[in-house]
Amino acid sequence: MAKIKERAKVVLIPGDGIGPEITEAVLEVLDAAGANIEWVRHEAGLAALEHGADVLPQETIEAIEHHRVALKGPCTTPVGEGFASVNVQLRKQFDLYAAVRPVRSLPGVTTRFENVDLIIIRENTEGLYSGVENEVVPGVVMSMKVATEKGVLRIAHWAFRFATQRQRNRITVFHKANIMKMTDGLFLRASDQVHKREYPNIEYETAIIDAGCMRLVQDPGQFDILLLENLYGDVVSDLCAGLVGGLGVVPGANFGEDTAVFEAVHGSAPDIAGRNAANPLALLMSSVMMLNHMAEQTPAYADIAERIRLAYDQALLDGQKTRDLGGDLTTDAFARAVIERL
Ligand code: NAI
């Protein structure tokens, strides 16, 4: 099997919960496929805290600054209290403003729909994730939704450029600008403007998010690229995962100007952690996105990415599935099934 000759260095953050298990499975597949990557391991999240470090240690930040590409397992965030999300901190630290989440029907995975092939583009740094929350007076709290002209314009440009490069021809913006006339209004006007002035040949439509969600669950095949602000992108990503088999099969990438962090849409799944039961496919698919990104510098990575993609599609077609997809394979057994088909 062909191997990449020059070793690339990539930062690896195994993460919490199921993170370490699915990461090991993914590394085995990449290694067997000849990706020849030197993994620069660093911690973040609970794993870092447990070793007496900060939740997002300085060494982890410096390593990503240096290598500019990272593969990341999910990190746990306490609900309703405790430290701020490491995932959100990382996105802010490196200004990873564009999250890309391809959602497609998979061979051998039976769901209500067979024709889903859409890409979610989520603004990743603004909106209600600004982290500005405070108690106005006792019993009254508020959370600030932030949109900046710079932020909304750059994600709109990013989405239209991406659509052009990928030969995708339709963008739908979900918004709630009827209610949030300023913040969502700004987001909507920026998308309208970029479309009209620079990309009039790309089909473009807008939908109020509630009606958009109804259309998604009735007929997801009508959508191509969905462009959403931060919170809507988060929620709609999981909704779309449900259309194609669940959180175990939807990958993701977070892009900034010069840094990219690849991670699955799902979280650390504490309910199944430590049982060798998680589906490593979403992180494996994220690693395929990473290889395609690395192929912009070293084209041979694209062949390895394609080989892995064909192998996991074939594994699914052959009925090799983890429990979330109705099969009985463990995390590492699924990785072996993919390796056998490389
Ligand atoms: P979750 O995505 O971890 O789990 C939701 C459900 O999906 C659970 O039943 C889980 O078992 C299942 N699931 C998720 N991934 C799976 C996989 N690969 N294979 C099989 N089943 C899978 O969401 P939840 O429970 O709301 O969050 C758990 C923790 O993860 C929280 O602390 C949350 O903040 C964090 N989180 C981290 C993210 C990240 O690191 N990017 C993203 C989302 C949540």
Side-chain angles (χ1 to χ4, degrees):
M1 211 178 272
K3 240 188 158 192
I4 301 275
K5 290 197 187 76
E6 229 169 88
R7 272 201 128 187
K9 289 189 179 178
V10 171
V11 177
L12 180 73
I13 301 171
D16 303 318
I18 59 171
E21 304 162 64
I22 56 173
T23 306
E24 285 317 309
V26 168
L27 260 46
E28 276 173 35
V29 177
L30 263 67
D31 197 37
N36 197 15
I37 290 171
E38 183 177 336
W39 299 102
V40 182
R41 282 176 184 261
H42 282 278
E43 287 180 332
L46 281 183
L49 276 186
E50 277 159 16
H51 290 122
D54 288 341
V55 67
L56 180 56
Q58 188 58 26
E59 303 90 81
T60 307
I61 294 175
E62 282 168 15
I64 300 175
E65 245 160 30
H66 187 69
H67 298 294
R68 297 288 170 199
V69 180
L71 182 65
K72 176 186 160 297
C75 292
T76 298
T77 311
V79 175
E81 56 179 14
F83 59 83
S85 162
V86 176
N87 313 307
V88 174
Q89 286 186 51
L90 255 184
R91 292 165 196 163
K92 289 206 171 128
Q93 176 78 34
F94 292 100
D95 204 13
L96 305 172
Y97 63 89
V100 179
R101 286 133 174 227
V103 181
R104 72 172 173 113
S105 302
L106 290 166
V109 179
T110 310
T111 59
R112 197 179 298 262
F113 306 101
E114 286 170 0
N115 58 344
V116 184
D117 179 13
L118 61 87
I119 299 178
I120 291 171
I121 298 182
R122 164 187 177 189
E123 200 293 320
N124 226 7
T125 56
E126 299 197 330
L128 279 164
Y129 286 69
S130 63
V132 186
E133 282 195 316
N134 63 302
E135 187 177 51
V136 186
V137 290
V140 181
V141 290
M142 61 165 234
S143 192
M144 198 179 293
K145 177 158 171 161
V146 177
T148 66
E149 210 166 83
K150 175 184 164 211
V152 295
L153 274 171
R154 71 179 178 174
I155 192 67
H157 275 120
W158 202 97
F160 279 98
R161 202 165 49 238
F162 178 88
T164 311
Q165 286 162 354
R166 301 296 168 102
Q167 284 145 7
R168 294 274 184 161
N169 54 18
R170 185 178 170 83
I171 291 188
T172 307
V173 177
F174 280 3
H175 65 87
K176 193 79 189 176
N178 50 332
I179 305 298
M180 278 156 281
K181 297 176 197 293
M182 292 190 84
T183 48
D184 281 20
L186 191 67
F187 193 91
L188 188 57
R189 284 191 293 278
S191 313
D192 287 352
Q193 176 189 320
V194 172
H195 168 247
K196 272 197 203 94
R197 290 195 190 158
E198 295 175 52
Y199 298 90
N201 295 333
I202 292 190
E203 265 183 70
Y204 174 77
E205 65 161 343
T206 63
I208 294 180
I209 186 162
D210 32 358
C213 285
M214 187 211 59
R215 284 171 56 196
L216 258 179
V217 297
Q218 277 189 330
D219 176 18
Q222 66 186 286
F223 295 104
D224 187 0
I225 288 183
L226 291 179
L227 171 60
L228 310 97
E229 65 86 78
N230 209 341
L231 179 64
Y232 306 155
D234 187 10
V235 175
V236 170
S237 294
D238 281 33
L239 183 158
C240 287
L243 301 172
V244 294
L247 283 164
V249 299
V250 179
N254 305 294
F255 292 106
E257 290 305 339
D258 55 6
T259 306
V261 176
F262 297 82
E263 63 178 340
V265 167
H266 65 70
S268 54
D271 53 335
I272 56 166
R275 294 199 219 150
N276 197 15
N279 189 348
L281 187 50
L283 189 64
L284 183 61
M285 292 165 125
S286 309
S287 76
V288 165
M289 292 175 79
M290 182 190 83
L291 293 172
N292 281 321
H293 172 71
M294 291 163 71
E296 289 168 16
Q297 299 286 326
T298 310
Y301 282 116
D303 295 340
I304 302 212
E306 185 60 3
R307 200 184 305 147
I308 296 173
R309 194 184 67 76
L310 292 171
Y312 64 63
D313 272 2
Q314 190 58 51
L316 293 173
L317 265 177
D318 293 343
Q320 303 289 313
K321 294 179 209 160
T322 44
R323 276 178 226 156
D324 55 312
L325 298 180
D328 59 4
L329 293 189
T330 57
T331 307
D332 46 19
F334 180 75
R336 280 197 300 277
V338 175
I339 290 169
E340 281 161 16
R341 290 163 178 80
L342 282 168

